[in-house]
Amino acid sequence: MQLFYNPDIDETTKSFSFDKEESKHIIKVLRKKDSDILHVTNGSGLLFETEITLASDNKCIVEVLSIKKSPEPKFRLHLAVAPTKMNDRFEWFLEKATEIGIQEITPIICDRSERKVINLERFEKIILSAMKQSNETFLPKLNDAVSFKEFIKQKIKVCNSSRIVRKQTKDL
């Protein structure tokens, strides 16, 4: 199954069109034509089965036939990882993390990190491509790079606030 991505669709969408780049890929490269079936996800767990109603390399319009909702993961996985010196290794990591279902990735910059600047736009494209290739319906969130100390401070605040909520619910 080939999977396509459109973040702007939801359960109420009846039909939509792909952008020019994606339309050209669908019609010229994959040689899809009118009445062919495409599978599309919005990255939030919805899988749309669609039918091509207008096959043009400038604008491919599809009509939604059915919608399937993927179950929410039972637990949430968030990885914090320092980018490696070799960019291709970090890109490979992003692919594999997406394929196994990680929901959130935060690049962290440590004191001895050799790579201090990362290209988030390129990494988001790699994650999107890995999601489509592995037929996942959830797109992992890629956070901005933060220092290790800042990441720990953020997580401590979240843990403390969740403890307060748990304690309050126990008292009830």
Side-chain angles (χ1 to χ4, degrees):
M1 171 176 81
Q2 291 174 324
L3 187 62
F4 298 92
Y5 173 71
N6 188 325
D8 302 325
I9 57 178
D10 58 19
E11 289 110 343
T12 62
T13 305
K14 301 291 183 217
S15 69
F16 63 93
S17 62
F18 289 99
D19 63 18
K20 187 175 181 177
E21 183 180 327
E22 192 80 88
S23 295
K24 185 176 181 181
H25 178 73
I26 292 168
I27 305 306
K28 294 285 187 184
V29 176
L30 299 175
R31 301 182 191 273
K32 299 290 184 182
K33 53 193 179 311
D34 285 346
S35 73
D36 281 354
I37 302 296
L38 298 178
H39 293 90
V40 184
T41 184
N42 64 354
S44 299
L46 295 176
L47 180 65
F48 299 84
E49 185 174 314
T50 64
E51 180 181 3
I52 297 176
T53 56
L54 175 65
S56 166
D57 56 344
N58 289 329
K59 190 174 192 180
C60 178
I61 299 176
V62 295
E63 181 180 318
V64 176
L65 301 176
S66 66
I67 303 170
K68 201 162 54 169
K69 184 160 178 70
S70 299
E72 289 283 332
K74 293 179 182 168
F75 45 86
R76 184 158 179 75
L77 296 174
H78 181 175
L79 287 179
V81 62
T84 58
K85 178 180 176 182
M86 303 296 289
N87 223 14
D88 60 335
R89 289 182 182 179
F90 191 70
E91 291 171 0
W92 180 84
F93 160 76
L94 291 173
E95 282 181 30
K96 300 309 167 194
T98 301
E99 289 171 5
I100 64 171
I102 299 299
Q103 288 90 13
E104 191 171 354
I105 302 168
T106 302
I108 57 172
I109 308 301
C110 300
D111 291 338
R112 300 193 190 275
S113 291
E114 292 188 23
R115 180 169 303 276
K116 304 234 186 241
V117 178
I118 62 171
N119 187 348
L120 276 180
E121 188 176 312
R122 174 158 172 74
F123 292 162
E124 286 171 349
K125 287 180 182 178
I126 289 167
I127 288 174
L128 177 60
S129 177
M131 179 197 71
K132 292 186 333 186
Q133 287 177 2
S134 60
N135 291 326
E136 288 285 331
T137 56
F138 290 98
L139 181 66
K141 179 182 178 193
L142 180 62
N143 297 318
D144 291 329
V146 295
S147 71
F148 177 75
K149 291 175 185 176
E150 184 63 34
F151 181 77
I152 296 299
K153 284 179 190 175
Q154 291 172 0
K155 293 304 158 191
I156 288 174
K157 287 178 187 176
V158 170
C159 289
N160 286 339
S161 64
S162 66
R163 281 188 200 135
I164 292 168
V165 170
R166 275 190 252 138
K167 185 178 180 192
Q168 289 173 349
T169 55
K170 284 182 184 178
D171 293 341
L172 297 174

